[in-house]
């Protein structure tokens, strides 16, 4: 592996310490006492041994005194990727988890989202959710907003201002039987999607891009699904939606789209399954549907907190991985009550263990594998792994500086633990108190320096 490349620009950061990340070959690779340089473009310029310090400082134009040394229980890991989160639903996160999906949408979700017509409400909630997720180590988030174009553009602006990498989707829905005013006509949905995409692309935010967002097959007519598939194709855009989350939903989709062979086929027939598509949940997909995911390059977002909280189902992640379908983790705020991907890591392990209790031959996931899903796997699911997801020369430096023994934090370090144990303890016990700093594309975004004016 190439571990350096030359540049004349000065270094933004040079760190010395432990770096833990995943690669295609190994779920946890530990680089102990390594030097890592971040160039002025926010990209990893070198990863090297300390013996090379003098040579590197000449080549890259920094002095050894500029090197930041990590303390004993500190390490860097890649930033975490939330592949599925509803920003407006942060307004009621931690409540309203007492009914299954379709009733939950009608009772809580649609009324809450309809309030985001107000830019004041949007500004308040979107600022809170971006700060909360960043502080918890989410360097990339794939957001659903609402049907309101201007509020969705505001979410994109806020993620850009705070320095979070994001895909932002204006939600599309031309059907809603429960709340008549929270839906669009097909034409509005199509025109406003085009306006959203062009206004967002015109902003030229370096880290924030639009994602075409049909809510799900029950909220969209076939005609709208087809138009959205065409818009995504013509503009080479990402696509996100929901699939096979809940059995009542799957049954209704089959009734509404009798010409389609499966729920997956509904999206496939409307050109919505591409290698830039991420579908949330997939708890009830068949093996044939997973094959179609693999063939099209579409990925799944596993949202275990939501799947348990709404009693939707248990996704067998091992089976998804065996089908070679890309998969990342999602919080699915507010179906899931936690905004932290650390919670998604724990719930992913819990669900895998529950499946093994129910069926002992199920091959349980390891914490190392789930660490990869939270980082590199998420970036692969969003097709952004060519520039983020792990520590590779030339990729953007999206990273968390973790102190497993942060004073006042949730972890007690008893013995002199090795880095792998520190990682395992952080994944199982840690929280934002352990995340000292967050970097996105080389910029330090936590602690916050950006002030809302
Ligand atoms: N969990 C979840 N599932 C959905 N399916 C359609 N919309 C939603 C939503 O907002 N949350
Ligand atoms: Zn969702």
């Amino acid at each position: 592996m190439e571990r350096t490349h030359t540049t004349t620009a000065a270094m933004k950061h040079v760190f010395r310490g432990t770096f833990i990340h995943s690669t295609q070959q190994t779920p946890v690779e530990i680089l102990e006492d390594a030097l890592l340089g971040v160039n002025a473009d926010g990209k990893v310029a070198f990863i090297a041994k300390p013996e090379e310090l003098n040579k590197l400082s000449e080549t890259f134009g920094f002095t050894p005194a500029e090197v930041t040394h990590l303390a004993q229980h500190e390490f860097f890991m890649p930033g975490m990727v939330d592949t599925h989160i509803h920003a407006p639903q942060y307004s009621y996160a931690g409540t309203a988890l007492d009914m299954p999906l379709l009733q939950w949408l009608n009772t809580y979700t649609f009324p809450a989202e309809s309030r985001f017509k107000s830019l004041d409400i949007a500004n308040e909630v979107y600022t809170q959710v971006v700060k909360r997720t960043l502080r918890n180590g989410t360097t990339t988030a794939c957001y659903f907003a609402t049907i309101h174009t201007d509020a969705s553009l505001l979410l994109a602006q806020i993620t850009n201002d705070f320095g979070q990498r994001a895909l932002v989707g204006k939600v599309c829905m031309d059907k809603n039987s429960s709340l008549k005013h929270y839906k669009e006509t097909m034409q509005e949905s199509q025109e406003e999607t085009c306006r959203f995409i062009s206004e967002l692309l015109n902003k030229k935010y370096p880290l924030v891009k639009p994602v075409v967002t049909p809510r799900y097959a029950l909220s969209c007519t076939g005609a709208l699904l087809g138009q959205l598939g065409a818009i995504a194709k013509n503009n080479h855009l990402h696509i996100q939606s929901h699939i096979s989350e809940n059995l009542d939903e799957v049954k209704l989709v089959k009734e509404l789209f009798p010409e389609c062979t499966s729920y997956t086929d509904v999206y496939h027939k409307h050109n919505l399954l591409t290698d830039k598509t991420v579908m949330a949940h997939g708890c009830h997909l068949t093996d044939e549907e997973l094959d179609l995911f693999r063939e099209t390059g579409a990925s799944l977002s596993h949202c275990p907190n939501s799947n348990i909280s709404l009693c939707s189902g248990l996704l067998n992640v091992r089976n998804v991985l065996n089908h070679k379908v890309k998969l990342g983790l999602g919080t699915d705020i507010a179906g899931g009550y936690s905004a932290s991907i650390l919670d998604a890591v724990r719930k992913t392990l819990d669900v895998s263990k529950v499946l093994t209790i129910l069926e002992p031959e199920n091959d349980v996931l390891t914490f190392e594998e789930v660490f990869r899903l939270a980082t590199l796997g998420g970036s692969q699911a969003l097709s952004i792994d060519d520039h983020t997801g792990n520590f590779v020369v030339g990729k953007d430096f999206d990273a968390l500086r973790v102190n497993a023994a942060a004073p006042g934090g949730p972890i007690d370090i008893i013995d002199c633990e090795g880095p792998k144990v520190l990682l395992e303890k952080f994944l199982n016990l840690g929280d934002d108190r352990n995340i000292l700093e967050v970097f996105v594309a080389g910029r330090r975004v936590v602690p916050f320096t950006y002030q809302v004016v």
Side-chain angles (χ1 to χ4, degrees), residues 285-297:
L285 292 174
T286 62
D287 286 350
E288 290 71 38
E289 290 181 280
L290 288 174
D291 287 339
L292 193 46
F293 268 76
R294 191 197 40 244
E295 284 158 26
T296 55

Side-chain angles (χ1 to χ4, degrees), residues 372-385:
R372 176 158 60 189
L373 296 179
T375 54
L376 183 62
S379 71
Q380 289 169 332
L382 299 182
S383 290
I384 54 171
D385 52 307

Side-chain angles (χ1 to χ4, degrees), residues 186-259:
M186 184 183 73
Q187 194 184 347
E188 272 166 0
S189 193
Q190 188 230 346
E191 287 173 4
E192 286 297 292
T193 295
C194 292
R195 178 166 84 86
F196 174 72
I197 292 164
S198 79
E199 291 197 20
L200 181 43
L201 292 176
N202 275 341
K203 300 277 183 194
K204 302 211 181 322
Y205 298 140
L207 303 175
V208 184
K209 303 283 171 244
V211 44
V212 174
T213 306
R215 178 166 215 122
Y216 72 150
L218 295 183
S219 292
C220 300
T221 57
L224 177 59
L225 292 176
Q227 287 182 346
L228 295 176
I231 290 172
K233 192 171 178 186
N234 296 338
N235 299 281
H236 312 288
L237 294 176
H238 282 82
I239 298 167
Q240 62 177 348
S241 192
H242 298 88
I243 196 165
S244 272
E245 177 176 2
N246 161 296
L247 288 173
D248 292 335
E249 171 207 7
V250 175
K251 190 162 169 280
L252 280 173
V253 170
K254 285 194 178 138
E255 284 169 21
L256 279 168
F257 294 89
E259 70 286 8

Side-chain angles (χ1 to χ4, degrees), residues 84 86 89 92 101 104-105 109-110 113 144 215-216 219 242 245 249 281 306 310 312 332-336:
H84 185 78
H86 297 263
Q89 296 177 24
Y92 65 97
L101 177 69
W104 176 84
L105 286 170
T109 309
F110 298 145
E113 288 191 9
F144 275 59
R215 178 166 215 122
Y216 72 150
S219 292
H242 298 88
E245 177 176 2
E249 171 207 7
H281 307 296
S306 169
L310 301 183
S312 299
D332 194 27
I333 286 288

